[in-house]
Amino acid sequence: RDLAPELRKAVAEAAKSGAQTREIDVAGRKAFVVTDLSSGKPTTIVTVVVSGGRLVLGEGANVGGDEAVALVRAVDFSRVAAVTR
């Protein structure tokens, strides 16, 4: 199951509400970054599509988009993809 189209739609909705959004590549995988600045303190959510239905989520309070992405880049996505259910 490909979750990227649904994530793009959710990110577009967040952008309409004033959040900073972007789609990037993290270790060869699609990632979506949403930063909400409405409270004066940034809150960022990074969603990385590891495989069709498997995601890695990173959330940071008082963390801007670039810093949150840097933290998520430390994840070993190949190990995440290799986990069996």
Side-chain angles (χ1 to χ4, degrees):
R1 177 176 169 186
D2 184 11
L3 296 174
E6 294 174 49
L7 288 167
R8 276 190 194 93
K9 184 177 177 182
V11 168
E13 288 296 316
K16 288 179 186 177
S17 71
Q20 294 177 349
T21 64
R22 58 190 162 137
E23 183 175 333
I24 62 172
D25 180 82
V26 174
R29 292 168 165 84
K30 292 283 182 202
F32 302 88
V33 183
V34 177
T35 303
D36 177 18
L37 300 169
S38 64
S39 69
K41 297 179 182 179
T43 299
T44 300
I45 296 176
V46 180
T47 306
V48 181
V49 180
V50 176
S51 63
R54 187 166 293 183
L55 307 174
V56 168
L57 302 174
E59 187 271 335
N62 297 321
V63 176
D66 291 337
E67 187 177 359
V69 169
L71 293 169
V72 170
R73 286 186 192 276
V75 173
D76 185 344
F77 296 107
S78 61
R79 288 186 68 192
V80 172
V83 172
T84 58
R85 295 193 229 181

